[in-house]
Amino acid sequence: MANWLDGKVVDNRRLNEYLTSLIIDVDIGAYEAGQFVRVGLPEADGVLARPYSLVNAPEEPYLEVYFNIVEEGPLSPRLFDLQAGDQVLVSDNPSGFLTVSEIPRCRHLWMVATGTGIGPFLAILKSEAVWQKFDRVILCYSVSYTSELAYQDLIGQIRAQRGEQFGYVPIVTRERHDAALGKRITALMQDGSLEAFAGVGINAADSHVMMCGSSNMITDVSAELNARDMKKHRRRDPGHYTTEKYH
Ligand SMILES: Cc1cc2nc3c(=O)[nH]c(=O)nc-3n(C[C@H](O)[C@H](O)[C@H](O)COP(=O)(O)OP(=O)(O)OC[C@H]3O[C@@H](n4cnc5c(N)ncnc54)[C@H](O)[C@@H]3O)c2cc1C
């Protein structure tokens, strides 16, 4: 059973009117890049909380979560309105298997994110372990509109630091973007343009694919990987892809 720790909001960094990053001062102890915590607010009869992936690397001083408002949701609109100095509750048991240590050794690691699913991959990219374990690391980041492409400065810094070892594939599906691909990830896999853009193939011999975000994307990409004789990874039955569904 998790305990609730008192956190303090240090900053609320809004990207637009429905996407934001909350920076939280709280000590949750040791955890691995890619894991999530539960973040909540006190209510008369308990705590209203939801899981959120951590964007910060574990060695950074503050926790960071990146999320969108779900209009009809009970918690996300309230978290969106928090300001510096406000109290927020954070669970003391970071969890999740979307971590580098869970992935079998192979040459190429693909990270496929839709929307706010970029969060855990940024934590992993900021940490050292992934660069020691894989020859190439490719981040595919799909959003609907250009204004939803978050953390572009950070991704630019990682590109500058890691050079050829890091591949970045931005995807914007609902409007034209000159530097991004423009179709759904599965369509880009089927017509070969995703791998051509990255200069790396996706196959059972060389690759592991991590996915995070919407269940539609995860279901569709998983089917495409299954068709390539790749299978879901389990600790007791190692495979080729690992998933975390947000909704
Ligand atoms: C392991 C895990 C980690 C998560 N990490 C993140 C994260 O880092 N960032 C993040 O934005 N969300 C994340 N989520 C989703 C998050 O926990 C909440 O569900 C979300 O913020 C909405 O909360 P809510 O209380 O307002 O609505 P909820 O009552 O949780 O959900 C209301 C409805 O909205 C759907 N929904 C949930 N999340 C989204 C979304 N992001 N976009 C559209 N529809 C959604 C739900 O399926 C449900 O139908 C994560 C979920 C899981 C299971």
Side-chain angles (χ1 to χ4, degrees), residues 78-190:
R78 290 176 60 192
L79 293 180
F80 193 84
D81 285 339
L82 293 177
Q83 295 179 357
D86 287 344
Q87 188 207 22
V88 70
L89 299 172
V90 179
S91 63
D92 68 351
N93 64 336
S95 338
F97 300 104
L98 198 74
T99 59
V100 167
S101 65
E102 292 289 336
I103 298 173
R105 209 165 263 287
C106 62
R107 289 179 64 207
H108 304 142
L109 178 65
W110 287 77
M111 299 171 163
V112 178
T114 50
T116 54
I118 189 73
F121 297 142
L122 295 172
I124 290 170
L125 291 168
K126 285 200 263 182
S127 303
E128 203 46 44
V130 73
W131 306 107
Q132 305 296 333
K133 189 162 178 176
F134 302 98
D135 294 347
R136 298 279 316 266
V137 180
I138 300 105
L139 174 68
C140 307
Y141 180 18
S142 179
V143 296
S144 298
Y145 301 100
T146 305
S147 62
E148 298 170 344
L149 278 176
Y151 295 100
Q152 295 302 288
D153 288 350
L154 172 62
I155 292 170
Q157 287 163 23
I158 296 167
R159 292 178 81 179
Q161 187 185 358
R162 303 296 173 177
E164 290 291 301
Q165 198 182 358
F166 181 47
Y168 176 46
V169 187
I171 301 166
V172 178
T173 54
R174 293 201 191 159
E175 65 185 11
R176 202 180 142 69
H177 183 299
D178 284 343
L181 298 180
K183 291 194 252 179
R184 285 163 57 87
I185 295 167
T186 36
L188 296 169
M189 289 173 78
Q190 285 156 5

Side-chain angles (χ1 to χ4, degrees), residues 35 86 107 130 175 205 208 228 237 246:
Q35 292 195 302
D86 287 344
R107 289 179 64 207
V130 73
E175 65 185 11
H208 193 98
R228 297 181 185 208
D237 183 19
Y246 281 3

Side-chain angles (χ1 to χ4, degrees), residues 19 36-38 48-55 64-79 95-96 115-117 119-120 212 244-247:
L19 285 164
F36 62 86
V37 287
R38 289 175 70 80
L48 172 63
R50 295 285 184 267
Y52 291 95
S53 299
L54 295 169
V55 179
E64 179 168 350
V65 294
Y66 174 59
F67 63 96
N68 57 294
I69 292 183
V70 175
E71 291 291 349
E72 71 282 10
L75 184 64
S76 56
R78 290 176 60 192
L79 293 180
S95 338
T116 54
C212 186
E244 187 142 280
K245 285 184 190 175
Y246 281 3
H247 59 97

